[in-house]
Amino acid sequence: MRAVAEARIQGSTAHEIADSIRALIASGMLAPGESLPTVRGLADRLGVNRNTVAAAYRALARAGAVESRGRGGTVVTEPLRTEEEGFAAETVLRDLGSGNPDPDLLPLPVLAEVDLRTPALYGDALIDEGLRAWATAWLEEAEPGRPFELSVTSGAVDALERLLVASLAHGDVVGLEDPCFLSSINVVRLGGYRPVGIPLDDEGMTVAGLRAAIDAGARTVVCTPRAHNPTGISLTPARAAELRAVFAEAPHVLIIEDDHYSLLSRRPYHSVIPEGHPRWALVRSMSKFLGPDLRLALLASDADTAAQLRTRLSPGKTWVSRILQRVAVGMLDHPETPAALERAGAHYAERGDALRALLRERGITVRGDDGLNVWVECGVDARSVSEAMMRRGWLVRTGGGFLLEPDEASPQIRLTAHTLDDAELRTLADDLRAAIDDARRR
């Protein structure tokens, strides 16, 4: 099959050769793991310059269709398989894998008080003035004394994607926490960047892991300062200071802080950005406290990074709806919102603490202490635990998908259980203990 497929590669330009190979991959004639002909061999057969074939292979690599393995040649890649947050479709089980906030705790939009009559037109300012004033005051509290420029994006994932596109080239190395937020993994892999994992301990991102990532060529590092998803771990002041010292030795690295839980967190924000660092961004999503469907995030950054972002947020291309921005301001300025956010944050904290305590009472190891989720170390293959939980009526999220090198046999699960009452939490803890025991016996 491979010999037949290679014989069908045609073209006299890089574009034609790349299209021919992609068609063979799409038809299944070139399967994942199979090697392409050498540059010299294909160039000789087609009667073209070797640079033409090399350019075709580079284009295929940028598209994620192939990868270069040095002396191992150029190989067809496996299709990228990504996991997503959210409810499982059409399940009759109690879904504890969604990662969602409680819809009953989200503030209601105040559309009656929002100016919907004044349209935003091509060339208008990208940021609503009301949102700019609110966001500037809020972000100045987080970064006192640090000059910044404000940007607005369509959620934190959009912010991360734009930051990477604006500052990196295909194949550049990105340092990510390991385990990591699913969407961050997807953005990096689908963008054609190379993720390098940075382990976490109970104080957050490890210093040795950060040094190793920078030594491996990381040009960007993404750090979650608190309520890390999936583990719930937050940086301690001492660890944040140690990480700042490492970053101070690497001014070329773009530091992206993903403070996704911000207004709901009970842990203080400890920045890893050193004073005077030239390349940095702080991203704060509104999804957890105003609702995922609002699709807004605020981004503070240095002036050069902001200028690069503006080229990707120019009016008429991909601006963020001013109507949505005005809705956000209306919700944030509403007199009932502060109390609503306080209730939501307290509820998530209390439910998480209650579940962690119940699990520890039953000899089950848990990590972290903040955020919407509880990270459980089962000590056995999480797939077996998940199957045993399904038999008891629960749907849980196994932890392998959160790892930069996906491992279906990983021993962790993530629970989003803040909607359960006390009796349901006790049942969940009992069932999880029994499921782990079942998995061990098997």
Side-chain angles (χ1 to χ4, degrees):
M1 174 70 79
R2 177 184 164 190
V4 173
E6 289 184 6
R8 293 191 179 186
I9 299 175
Q10 300 296 326
S12 59
T13 67
H15 180 75
E16 290 172 350
I17 295 168
D19 276 354
S20 175
I21 294 171
R22 293 192 77 167
L24 292 170
I25 294 172
S27 69
M29 294 196 71
L30 278 174
E34 290 189 337
S35 297
L36 298 184
T38 65
V39 169
R40 175 185 294 179
L42 185 57
D44 289 347
R45 184 174 72 77
L46 296 178
V48 300
N49 190 286
R50 294 175 191 172
N51 290 335
T52 302
V53 176
Y57 283 11
R58 286 196 298 271
L60 290 167
R62 285 195 298 271
V66 303
E67 64 178 354
S68 174
R69 295 183 178 174
R71 293 183 178 179
T74 301
V75 178
V76 178
T77 57
E78 292 278 353
L80 281 174
R81 294 179 175 86
T82 60
E83 290 194 40
E84 302 289 344
E85 292 281 20
F87 292 114
E90 299 179 356
T91 180
V92 297
L93 305 174
R94 189 70 179 268
D95 189 351
L96 303 182
S98 73
N100 272 310
D102 187 338
D104 293 336
L105 296 177
L106 297 174
L108 293 175
V110 283
L111 296 179
E113 302 174 22
V114 175
D115 177 14
L116 302 178
R117 294 178 295 178
T118 305
L121 303 176
Y122 300 123
D124 282 352
L126 292 174
I127 304 176
D128 176 78
E129 284 307 310
L131 183 59
R132 179 183 292 278
W134 190 95
T136 298
W138 185 37
L139 292 166
E140 282 176 346
E141 292 179 6
E143 297 288 347
R146 190 195 303 274
F148 68 85
E149 292 196 22
L150 177 68
S151 304
V152 177
T153 63
S154 297
V157 177
D158 180 53
L160 177 60
E161 183 174 18
R162 294 182 190 284
L163 285 165
L164 296 182
V165 169
S167 61
L168 299 180
H170 181 89
D172 279 349
V173 177
V174 179
L176 294 176
E177 293 148 329
D178 195 11
C180 189
F181 181 43
L182 291 175
S183 294
S184 296
I185 297 174
N186 294 343
V187 166
V188 170
R189 292 197 182 282
L190 293 171
Y193 314 111
R194 291 192 292 132
V196 171
I198 304 175
L200 295 95
D201 60 21
D202 289 338
E203 294 187 70
M205 177 183 284
T206 63
V207 174
L210 175 60
R211 288 190 184 279
I214 293 175
D215 289 344
R219 300 183 60 83
T220 299
V221 173
V222 184
C223 177
T224 310
R226 51 186 170 178
H228 172 261
N229 187 355
T231 66
I233 293 171
S234 299
L235 285 171
T236 63
R239 179 58 55 79
E242 292 176 311
L243 296 174
R244 286 196 299 273
V246 176
F247 279 124
E249 300 171 359
H252 65 285
V253 173
L254 170 63
I255 306 169
I256 302 175
E257 290 190 326
D258 180 11
D259 192 21
H260 70 104
Y261 203 55
S262 58
L263 286 181
L264 297 175
S265 180
R266 58 179 176 172
R267 298 295 174 218
Y269 163 68
H270 298 300
S271 178
V272 301
I273 304 168
E275 183 176 354
H277 194 82
R279 306 183 69 227
W280 63 275
L282 168 61
V283 182
R284 284 183 165 174
S285 169
M286 296 187 178
S287 295
K288 298 298 186 297
F289 57 87
L290 292 187
D293 195 42
L294 196 60
R295 312 310 301 153
L296 285 179
L298 303 172
L299 192 157
S301 69
D302 65 272
D304 288 343
T305 298
Q308 291 176 322
L309 280 173
R310 280 195 294 272
T311 66
R312 306 195 60 81
L313 286 166
S314 57
K317 294 182 181 177
T318 51
W319 68 22
V320 178
S321 166
R322 290 274 294 275
I323 293 175
L324 290 179
Q325 294 185 48
R326 291 167 189 166
V327 171
V329 174
M331 296 171 73
L332 292 165
D333 281 342
H334 195 278
E336 296 180 6
T337 295
L341 297 181
E342 180 65 28
R343 284 193 302 272
H347 173 81
Y348 297 136
E350 187 275 330
R351 291 289 83 188
D353 285 347
L355 178 55
R356 293 183 188 95
L358 289 168
L359 294 176
R360 289 185 176 118
E361 288 173 4
R362 288 154 177 78
I364 300 173
T365 301
V366 294
R367 298 185 69 187
D369 63 359
D370 200 13
L372 296 179
N373 308 295
V374 173
W375 186 248
V376 181
E377 300 280 355
C378 300
V380 292
D381 187 336
R383 293 171 299 182
S384 297
V385 176
S386 173
E387 291 168 2
M389 290 296 282
M390 291 174 68
R391 291 193 292 271
R392 291 167 171 82
W394 305 100
L395 183 65
V396 302
R397 170 88 73 163
T398 55
F402 296 96
L403 303 175
L404 266 61
E405 293 296 333
D407 180 6
E408 293 183 358
S410 69
Q412 300 90 9
I413 62 172
R414 193 197 68 177
L415 302 173
T416 309
H418 50 71
T419 58
L420 304 184
D421 61 27
D422 288 342
E424 290 169 327
L425 286 181
R426 285 192 294 272
T427 300
L428 171 62
D430 288 338
D431 285 347
L432 184 54
R433 176 71 270 173
I436 293 173
D437 292 341
D438 284 352
R440 283 182 176 152
R441 284 193 293 270
R442 290 173 181 270

